[in-house]
Amino acid sequence: MTLMSAALGGLLAGFDGHFNFAVWCLCALGLVMAHATNNLLNDYTDSRRGIDKDNYYRNQYGVHVLEDELLTPRQFWGYVAVTAMLALVPGLYLVWQSGGVTLSLLLAGAFFVLFYTWPLKYFGLGEPAVLLVWGPLMVGGTYYVLAGEWSWPVTWLSLLYALGPTSVLFGKHIDKLELDAAKRVHTLPVILGEVSARYWVCAMLMLQYLGTVALVLLGVWHWGLLLVLLNLADFKKLLQVFSEPKPAEAPAELPAGVWPLWFSAFAFSHTRRFTGLFLVGLLLQGVF
Protein backbone atom coordinates (compact mmCIF):
# COMPACT_ATOMS: atom_id res chain seq x y z
CA MET A 1 0.00 0.00 0.00
CA THR A 2 2.94 2.33 0.63
CA LEU A 3 4.36 1.65 -2.81
CA MET A 4 0.91 2.29 -4.30
CA SER A 5 0.83 5.71 -2.62
CA ALA A 6 4.18 6.57 -4.18
CA ALA A 7 3.00 5.24 -7.56
CA LEU A 8 -0.16 7.32 -7.37
CA GLY A 9 1.76 10.51 -6.60
CA GLY A 10 4.21 9.81 -9.43
CA LEU A 11 1.45 9.05 -11.90
CA LEU A 12 -0.39 12.27 -11.12
CA ALA A 13 2.81 14.29 -11.43
CA GLY A 14 3.49 12.61 -14.76
CA PHE A 15 0.10 13.72 -16.08
CA ASP A 16 1.15 17.30 -15.40
CA GLY A 17 4.49 16.85 -17.16
CA HIS A 18 6.67 16.69 -14.05
CA PHE A 19 7.75 13.05 -13.84
CA ASN A 20 11.39 12.25 -13.12
CA PHE A 21 12.09 8.54 -12.71
CA ALA A 22 15.23 8.92 -10.56
CA VAL A 23 13.53 11.36 -8.18
CA TRP A 24 10.45 9.14 -7.98
CA CYS A 25 12.61 6.11 -7.11
CA LEU A 26 14.15 8.08 -4.24
CA CYS A 27 10.67 9.03 -3.00
CA ALA A 28 9.45 5.44 -3.19
CA LEU A 29 12.55 4.05 -1.49
CA GLY A 30 12.33 6.61 1.31
CA LEU A 31 8.64 5.94 1.93
CA VAL A 32 8.94 2.15 1.93
CA MET A 33 11.96 2.20 4.23
CA ALA A 34 10.25 4.68 6.56
CA HIS A 35 7.32 2.26 6.76
CA ALA A 36 9.76 -0.58 7.49
CA THR A 37 11.36 1.46 10.28
CA ASN A 38 7.95 2.20 11.77
CA ASN A 39 7.03 -1.50 11.72
CA LEU A 40 10.21 -2.36 13.61
CA LEU A 41 9.69 0.40 16.17
CA ASN A 42 6.07 -0.69 16.51
CA ASP A 43 7.17 -4.21 17.46
CA TYR A 44 9.83 -2.87 19.82
CA THR A 45 7.46 -0.50 21.64
CA ASP A 46 4.67 -3.05 22.03
CA SER A 47 7.17 -5.68 23.16
CA ARG A 48 8.73 -3.40 25.78
CA ARG A 49 5.31 -2.33 27.07
CA GLY A 50 4.21 -5.97 27.38
CA ILE A 51 1.55 -5.73 24.67
CA ASP A 52 3.00 -8.49 22.46
CA LYS A 53 3.89 -10.93 25.23
CA ASP A 54 2.11 -14.18 26.21
CA ASN A 55 0.99 -15.20 22.70
CA TYR A 56 -0.83 -11.93 22.14
CA TYR A 57 -2.73 -11.46 18.88
CA ARG A 58 0.31 -10.00 17.10
CA ASN A 59 2.25 -13.25 17.58
CA GLN A 60 -0.53 -15.34 16.08
CA TYR A 61 -0.57 -13.92 12.56
CA GLY A 62 3.10 -13.17 11.89
CA VAL A 63 6.69 -13.52 12.99
CA HIS A 64 7.80 -11.18 15.79
CA VAL A 65 11.59 -11.08 15.73
CA LEU A 66 11.87 -9.92 19.35
CA GLU A 67 9.20 -12.09 20.98
CA ASP A 68 10.39 -15.11 18.98
CA GLU A 69 14.02 -14.26 19.84
CA LEU A 70 15.12 -14.36 16.21
CA LEU A 71 17.30 -11.26 16.63
CA THR A 72 19.42 -10.07 19.52
CA PRO A 73 18.77 -6.47 20.66
CA ARG A 74 22.01 -5.41 18.96
CA GLN A 75 21.00 -7.05 15.69
CA PHE A 76 17.54 -5.54 15.93
CA TRP A 77 18.84 -1.99 16.36
CA GLY A 78 21.27 -2.56 13.53
CA TYR A 79 18.31 -3.47 11.35
CA VAL A 80 16.47 -0.32 12.49
CA ALA A 81 19.55 1.79 11.69
CA VAL A 82 19.77 0.40 8.15
CA THR A 83 16.09 0.96 7.32
CA ALA A 84 16.13 4.43 8.93
CA MET A 85 19.20 5.49 6.94
CA LEU A 86 17.66 4.17 3.71
CA ALA A 87 14.67 6.39 4.49
CA LEU A 88 16.53 9.44 5.77
CA VAL A 89 19.31 9.77 3.19
CA PRO A 90 16.97 9.94 0.13
CA GLY A 91 14.73 12.28 2.12
CA LEU A 92 17.54 14.69 2.95
CA TYR A 93 18.76 14.62 -0.64
CA LEU A 94 15.26 15.53 -1.85
CA VAL A 95 15.08 18.35 0.70
CA TRP A 96 18.39 19.66 -0.63
CA GLN A 97 17.20 19.39 -4.24
CA SER A 98 13.61 20.55 -3.83
CA GLY A 99 13.53 22.77 -0.75
CA GLY A 100 10.25 24.48 0.03
CA VAL A 101 7.67 22.26 1.71
CA THR A 102 9.83 19.14 1.32
CA LEU A 103 11.51 19.64 4.71
CA SER A 104 8.11 19.99 6.40
CA LEU A 105 6.97 16.77 4.72
CA LEU A 106 10.12 14.97 5.90
CA LEU A 107 9.66 16.18 9.49
CA ALA A 108 5.98 15.19 9.46
CA GLY A 109 6.93 11.71 8.20
CA ALA A 110 9.58 11.36 10.91
CA PHE A 111 7.01 12.34 13.55
CA PHE A 112 4.60 9.62 12.48
CA VAL A 113 7.38 7.02 12.20
CA LEU A 114 8.53 7.72 15.76
CA PHE A 115 5.24 8.36 17.52
CA TYR A 116 2.58 6.31 15.71
CA THR A 117 2.85 3.33 18.06
CA TRP A 118 2.99 5.48 21.17
CA PRO A 119 1.24 7.71 21.97
CA LEU A 120 -0.92 8.04 18.82
CA LYS A 121 -2.15 4.43 18.57
CA TYR A 122 -2.78 4.23 22.31
CA PHE A 123 -5.13 7.23 22.32
CA GLY A 124 -7.33 6.71 19.26
CA LEU A 125 -5.15 8.76 16.90
CA GLY A 126 -3.54 5.91 14.97
CA GLU A 127 -6.35 5.62 12.42
CA PRO A 128 -6.51 9.38 11.59
CA ALA A 129 -2.70 9.31 11.31
CA VAL A 130 -2.86 6.56 8.69
CA LEU A 131 -5.43 8.55 6.70
CA LEU A 132 -3.09 11.55 6.64
CA VAL A 133 0.09 9.55 5.99
CA TRP A 134 -1.14 7.30 3.20
CA GLY A 135 -3.02 10.19 1.61
CA PRO A 136 -1.71 13.79 1.60
CA LEU A 137 1.70 12.98 3.08
CA MET A 138 2.70 10.12 0.77
CA VAL A 139 0.67 10.82 -2.37
CA GLY A 140 0.60 14.62 -2.08
CA GLY A 141 4.22 14.68 -0.91
CA THR A 142 5.45 12.59 -3.84
CA TYR A 143 3.54 14.85 -6.22
CA TYR A 144 5.04 17.95 -4.59
CA VAL A 145 8.62 16.69 -4.79
CA LEU A 146 8.19 15.91 -8.49
CA ALA A 147 6.07 18.92 -9.50
CA GLY A 148 7.44 21.55 -7.13
CA GLU A 149 3.97 22.70 -6.10
CA TRP A 150 1.10 21.54 -3.90
CA SER A 151 -2.07 20.36 -5.64
CA TRP A 152 -5.44 20.35 -3.87
CA PRO A 153 -7.11 18.10 -6.51
CA VAL A 154 -4.33 15.59 -5.80
CA THR A 155 -4.93 16.03 -2.06
CA TRP A 156 -8.64 15.22 -2.33
CA LEU A 157 -7.92 12.24 -4.53
CA SER A 158 -5.25 11.02 -2.11
CA LEU A 159 -7.71 11.11 0.79
CA LEU A 160 -10.14 8.93 -1.15
CA TYR A 161 -7.36 6.43 -1.82
CA ALA A 162 -6.15 6.56 1.82
CA LEU A 163 -9.56 5.49 3.09
CA GLY A 164 -8.58 2.00 1.87
CA PRO A 165 -5.41 1.58 3.97
CA THR A 166 -7.25 3.20 6.90
CA SER A 167 -10.02 0.60 6.62
CA VAL A 168 -7.39 -2.17 6.78
CA LEU A 169 -5.99 -0.77 10.03
CA PHE A 170 -9.50 -0.26 11.38
CA GLY A 171 -10.27 -3.89 10.56
CA LYS A 172 -7.15 -5.15 12.32
CA HIS A 173 -7.98 -3.13 15.42
CA ILE A 174 -11.54 -4.50 15.40
CA ASP A 175 -10.16 -8.02 15.09
CA LYS A 176 -8.19 -7.56 18.30
CA LEU A 177 -10.48 -5.09 20.05
CA GLU A 178 -11.00 -7.14 23.21
CA LEU A 179 -7.29 -7.84 23.57
CA ASP A 180 -6.40 -4.19 23.03
CA ALA A 181 -9.00 -3.07 25.57
CA ALA A 182 -7.65 -5.54 28.14
CA LYS A 183 -4.13 -4.18 27.62
CA ARG A 184 -5.35 -0.54 27.72
CA VAL A 185 -4.49 0.18 24.11
CA HIS A 186 -7.26 2.62 23.23
CA THR A 187 -7.42 2.34 19.47
CA LEU A 188 -10.34 4.09 17.78
CA PRO A 189 -12.40 0.85 17.57
CA VAL A 190 -11.88 0.37 21.33
CA ILE A 191 -13.17 3.92 21.92
CA LEU A 192 -16.09 3.61 19.48
CA GLY A 193 -17.10 0.08 20.41
CA GLU A 194 -17.13 -3.00 18.19
CA VAL A 195 -20.47 -2.40 16.43
CA SER A 196 -19.88 1.30 15.75
CA ALA A 197 -16.35 0.58 14.49
CA ARG A 198 -17.65 -1.96 11.97
CA TYR A 199 -20.12 0.55 10.58
CA TRP A 200 -17.45 3.24 10.46
CA VAL A 201 -15.47 1.01 8.08
CA CYS A 202 -18.54 0.52 5.89
CA ALA A 203 -19.11 4.28 5.82
CA MET A 204 -15.47 5.03 4.95
CA LEU A 205 -15.45 2.62 2.04
CA MET A 206 -18.83 3.82 0.82
CA LEU A 207 -17.33 7.31 0.83
CA GLN A 208 -14.58 6.05 -1.48
CA TYR A 209 -17.15 5.25 -4.15
CA LEU A 210 -19.35 8.30 -3.61
CA GLY A 211 -16.34 10.61 -3.47
CA THR A 212 -14.90 9.17 -6.67
CA VAL A 213 -18.19 9.65 -8.51
CA ALA A 214 -18.45 13.19 -7.13
CA LEU A 215 -14.95 14.15 -8.34
CA VAL A 216 -15.82 12.84 -11.82
CA LEU A 217 -19.19 14.63 -11.97
CA LEU A 218 -17.56 17.88 -10.80
CA GLY A 219 -15.02 17.58 -13.59
CA VAL A 220 -12.05 17.38 -11.22
CA TRP A 221 -10.99 13.99 -12.59
CA HIS A 222 -11.63 11.94 -15.71
CA TRP A 223 -14.47 9.44 -16.18
CA GLY A 224 -11.94 6.60 -16.24
CA LEU A 225 -11.99 6.62 -12.43
CA LEU A 226 -15.52 5.21 -12.61
CA LEU A 227 -13.84 1.85 -13.24
CA VAL A 228 -13.81 1.46 -9.45
CA LEU A 229 -17.56 0.79 -9.70
CA LEU A 230 -16.64 -2.62 -11.11
CA ASN A 231 -15.63 -3.47 -7.55
CA LEU A 232 -19.13 -2.95 -6.14
CA ALA A 233 -19.78 -6.70 -5.97
CA ASP A 234 -16.75 -7.09 -3.70
CA PHE A 235 -17.91 -4.08 -1.69
CA LYS A 236 -21.31 -5.73 -1.20
CA LYS A 237 -19.58 -8.84 0.16
CA LEU A 238 -17.51 -6.67 2.51
CA LEU A 239 -20.68 -4.97 3.80
CA GLN A 240 -22.13 -8.38 4.61
CA VAL A 241 -18.99 -9.36 6.55
CA PHE A 242 -18.85 -6.11 8.52
CA SER A 243 -22.57 -6.24 9.34
CA GLU A 244 -21.99 -9.21 11.65
CA PRO A 245 -19.63 -9.93 14.58
CA LYS A 246 -16.40 -11.85 14.01
CA PRO A 247 -16.91 -15.64 14.01
CA ALA A 248 -15.78 -17.51 17.11
CA GLU A 249 -13.49 -19.68 14.98
CA ALA A 250 -12.13 -19.71 11.44
CA PRO A 251 -14.81 -20.59 8.83
CA ALA A 252 -13.95 -23.57 6.67
CA GLU A 253 -13.83 -21.46 3.49
CA LEU A 254 -11.21 -19.07 4.88
CA PRO A 255 -7.79 -19.71 3.29
CA ALA A 256 -5.18 -21.29 5.55
CA GLY A 257 -2.90 -18.85 7.33
CA VAL A 258 -5.34 -15.93 7.37
CA TRP A 259 -6.99 -16.49 10.77
CA PRO A 260 -7.13 -14.79 13.27
CA LEU A 261 -7.31 -11.93 10.76
CA TRP A 262 -10.91 -11.49 9.70
CA PHE A 263 -12.16 -7.94 9.20
CA SER A 264 -8.69 -6.74 8.23
CA ALA A 265 -8.34 -9.56 5.69
CA PHE A 266 -11.58 -8.60 3.92
CA ALA A 267 -10.69 -4.90 4.10
CA PHE A 268 -7.27 -5.59 2.58
CA SER A 269 -8.75 -7.71 -0.22
CA HIS A 270 -11.24 -4.95 -1.04
CA THR A 271 -8.56 -2.25 -0.92
CA ARG A 272 -6.25 -4.21 -3.21
CA ARG A 273 -8.96 -4.54 -5.87
CA PHE A 274 -10.19 -0.97 -5.49
CA THR A 275 -6.67 0.42 -5.77
CA GLY A 276 -5.95 -1.60 -8.90
CA LEU A 277 -9.04 -0.25 -10.63
CA PHE A 278 -8.27 3.23 -9.30
CA LEU A 279 -4.82 3.21 -10.92
CA VAL A 280 -6.11 1.78 -14.20
CA GLY A 281 -8.75 4.52 -14.26
CA LEU A 282 -6.06 7.15 -13.81
CA LEU A 283 -3.98 5.57 -16.58
CA LEU A 284 -7.00 5.90 -18.88
CA GLN A 285 -7.08 9.59 -18.01
CA GLY A 286 -3.46 9.84 -19.15
CA VAL A 287 -4.24 8.03 -22.40
CA PHE A 288 -7.24 10.15 -23.31
Side-chain angles (χ1 to χ4, degrees):
M1 293 186 293
T2 297
L3 188 59
M4 284 296 126
S5 289
L8 185 56
L11 190 64
L12 296 173
F15 290 161
D16 293 338
H18 301 297
F19 188 75
N20 181 304
F21 184 70
V23 172
W24 178 83
C25 284
L26 289 175
C27 284
L29 174 64
L31 291 175
V32 171
M33 288 298 105
H35 189 181
T37 304
N38 174 256
N39 282 346
L40 291 165
L41 294 177
N42 187 21
D43 281 354
Y44 173 78
T45 302
D46 284 345
S47 181
R48 284 295 300 269
R49 295 177 67 88
I51 302 300
D52 288 343
K53 294 187 182 297
D54 301 325
N55 201 27
Y56 177 68
Y57 183 93
R58 169 64 180 82
N59 306 67
Q60 298 179 46
Y61 69 83
V63 173
H64 193 305
V65 294
L66 291 174
E67 292 298 319
D68 296 334
E69 298 182 347
L70 298 178
L71 291 178
T72 66
R74 182 176 180 179
Q75 290 172 326
F76 176 83
W77 287 111
Y79 208 142
V80 172
V82 169
T83 59
M85 289 301 294
L86 288 173
L88 190 59
V89 170
L92 291 174
Y93 175 79
L94 293 172
V95 169
W96 177 59
Q97 286 288 307
S98 306
V101 181
T102 310
L103 178 60
S104 299
L105 294 169
L106 177 66
L107 293 175
F111 171 82
F112 287 116
V113 166
L114 294 173
F115 299 113
Y116 164 76
T117 304
W118 193 92
L120 297 180
K121 185 178 75 173
Y122 281 64
F123 295 97
L125 296 174
E127 293 80 6
V130 166
L131 182 66
L132 291 175
V133 170
W134 265 261
L137 189 59
M138 287 190 182
V139 180
T142 300
Y143 180 93
Y144 177 85
V145 169
L146 290 166
E149 60 183 10
W150 192 262
S151 168
W152 285 107
V154 169
T155 301
W156 298 123
L157 195 70
S158 74
L159 285 170
L160 286 179
Y161 161 75
L163 287 169
T166 306
S167 74
V168 177
L169 181 68
F170 240 97
K172 185 174 75 170
H173 288 168
I174 298 172
D175 282 335
K176 60 193 186 80
L177 187 150
E178 294 182 358
L179 294 168
D180 276 341
K183 301 245 180 179
R184 298 182 180 179
V185 181
H186 297 101
T187 62
L188 203 49
V190 170
I191 295 171
L192 293 172
E194 194 262 353
V195 175
S196 295
R198 286 193 277 114
Y199 286 113
W200 262 100
V201 173
C202 295
M204 285 192 301
L205 294 180
M206 187 175 294
L207 182 60
Q208 273 195 312
Y209 293 96
L210 295 177
T212 300
V213 172
L215 289 179
V216 172
L217 293 179
L218 291 172
V220 179
W221 292 103
H222 191 264
W223 60 265
L225 277 183
L226 295 180
L227 276 180
V228 299
L229 298 180
L230 295 176
N231 201 41
L232 284 176
D234 190 64
F235 177 57
K236 181 180 178 181
K237 181 179 179 181
L238 181 138
L239 291 178
Q240 293 172 341
V241 170
F242 274 79
S243 67
E244 300 176 355
K246 181 179 179 179
E249 56 185 31
E253 66 272 15
L254 191 70
V258 174
W259 191 262
L261 300 178
W262 178 252
F263 293 119
S264 56
F266 280 95
F268 179 76
S269 176
H270 174 272
T271 295
R272 183 172 56 187
R273 292 187 177 94
F274 182 94
T275 301
L277 292 169
F278 201 70
L279 288 175
V280 172
L282 286 173
L283 285 170
L284 286 177
Q285 175 170 326
V287 170
F288 289 101

